[in-house]
Amino acid sequence: MPQHRDHQASIKTTKAMDSDDALQVLLFSGTGWYRHPEIPIINGWLVRLGAEHNMQLDVSETGDDISTEKLERYDVILFNNANVLDKIFNVEQRTAIEDWYKKGGAIVAVHAVLVHQQEWPWLMNLGGCDFNSDSEFLKAKVIVDPAAMDHPAVKGQGKEFWYTADWTNHTKSVTGLPGVQVLLRVDESTYEPVREYFQTRNGKAMGEDHPIAWTREWDGGRFFYTELGHDLRSLDTPFGKQHVIEGIRWVAEK
């Protein structure tokens, strides 16, 4: 991935002052709309998981922690269910994140990050879609994209496997978007894709092409998204741990 020399130099300088070579991750979980009740639980789980894999996760929920100078400390921004971020970040803070990313930054987005980001078009375009509706917590068949079989975030799962989570219906499929590699799709024939609440609110299933995890190399940086993470149950499994850690490592090229 192309990297901006100044950004990389600043990372190396910061790490030289650290006691080890831990990956520096800003875990941001501020929300501008509906707040998932398990956000703090997932934050704690992510911090502990990161520590097991030589990652330093700093937790924030305020835009005051975002600036061009402060972001130079980090290799990765990990957004945990952080929706409607235009209500959290002002224009200057959003621009700082965009500039940091375009200089070789890396973003991981968990579950509800792609929810109502229309007022931050750059982030919505980076993710490739927005939110339509979702399912209950249900077991479903997950299919690994043939071209992604060796990606570390899904490797070892075979061509398909069963998994339980809350499955999100997006406004469109990201398949075929520039720089996107779909990792996983969910088979909607194996579960009810639209829960009752959304069935009366124009909720729509996605059909045969329903990506649930993907990577993107676009606009200078790297991006990883997963639908897992509505609550801890969908993450705290052997696959969930692999999926998240390897997603972080991939965006950071570690």
Side-chain angles (χ1 to χ4, degrees), residues 18 20 63 76 107 130 133 159-160 169 189 232:
D18 292 340
D20 57 29
V76 178
I107 291 177
D130 204 88
S133 57
K159 295 181 180 180
E160 58 185 45
N169 298 302
S189 71
L232 190 58

Side-chain angles (χ1 to χ4, degrees), residues 92-104:
E92 183 178 357
Q93 291 158 351
R94 296 198 299 270
T95 300
I97 292 173
E98 293 174 23
D99 290 345
W100 170 87
Y101 177 87
K102 292 174 183 179
K103 293 175 182 177

Side-chain angles (χ1 to χ4, degrees), residues 8-218:
Q8 290 302 306
S10 68
I11 291 175
K12 292 178 181 178
T13 300
T14 301
K15 287 185 175 180
M17 296 185 293
D18 292 340
S19 58
D20 57 29
D21 195 34
L23 196 68
Q24 301 297 313
V25 180
L26 176 60
L27 171 53
F28 193 90
S29 54
T31 55
W33 183 58
Y34 174 76
R35 184 171 179 80
H36 285 64
E38 292 211 3
I39 283 177
I41 297 171
I42 293 173
N43 279 347
W45 182 85
L46 288 167
V47 169
R48 293 188 295 274
L49 181 67
E52 295 173 3
H53 295 272
N54 198 32
M55 299 179 185
Q56 171 65 44
L57 273 68
D58 299 336
V59 182
S60 172
E61 296 203 336
T62 173
D64 293 339
D65 293 333
I66 303 297
S67 69
T68 298
E69 181 180 5
K70 292 174 181 177
L71 288 176
E72 289 302 320
R73 174 175 176 80
Y74 295 102
D75 303 301
V76 178
I77 299 175
L78 169 53
F79 287 120
N80 172 22
N81 284 290
N83 55 48
V84 196
L85 285 170
D86 66 286
K87 303 295 185 184
I88 304 297
F89 301 139
N90 61 32
V91 173
E92 183 178 357
Q93 291 158 351
R94 296 198 299 270
T95 300
I97 292 173
E98 293 174 23
D99 290 345
W100 170 87
Y101 177 87
K102 292 174 183 179
K103 293 175 182 177
I107 291 177
V108 172
V110 172
H111 192 67
V113 178
L114 298 183
V115 172
H116 301 327
Q117 303 290 9
Q118 295 94 333
E119 299 304 316
W120 189 4
W122 179 84
L123 181 61
M124 189 175 71
N125 289 336
L126 174 63
C129 59
D130 204 88
F131 174 81
N132 171 267
S133 57
D134 61 13
S135 73
E136 299 288 358
F137 186 76
L138 297 172
K139 187 176 183 179
K141 182 187 291 185
V142 175
I143 301 167
V144 180
D145 188 281
M149 293 287 290
D150 291 330
H151 193 285
V154 298
K155 191 173 183 178
Q157 293 301 117
K159 295 181 180 180
E160 58 185 45
F161 60 100
W162 289 85
Y163 204 75
T164 307
D166 302 77
W167 308 106
T168 300
N169 298 302
H170 302 284
T171 51
K172 65 178 182 179
S173 170
V174 299
T175 300
L177 290 181
V180 167
Q181 169 62 66
V182 174
L183 302 179
L184 300 172
R185 292 179 175 86
V186 65
D187 181 349
E188 290 186 354
S189 71
T190 62
Y191 72 105
E192 173 52 62
V194 182
R195 61 186 170 98
E196 184 176 356
Y197 176 85
F198 285 111
Q199 289 176 3
T200 59
R201 291 168 172 81
N202 297 316
K204 296 179 181 179
M206 294 184 67
E208 293 185 4
D209 184 19
H210 184 155
I212 61 170
W214 59 88
T215 64
R216 191 172 200 187
E217 295 184 77
W218 180 79

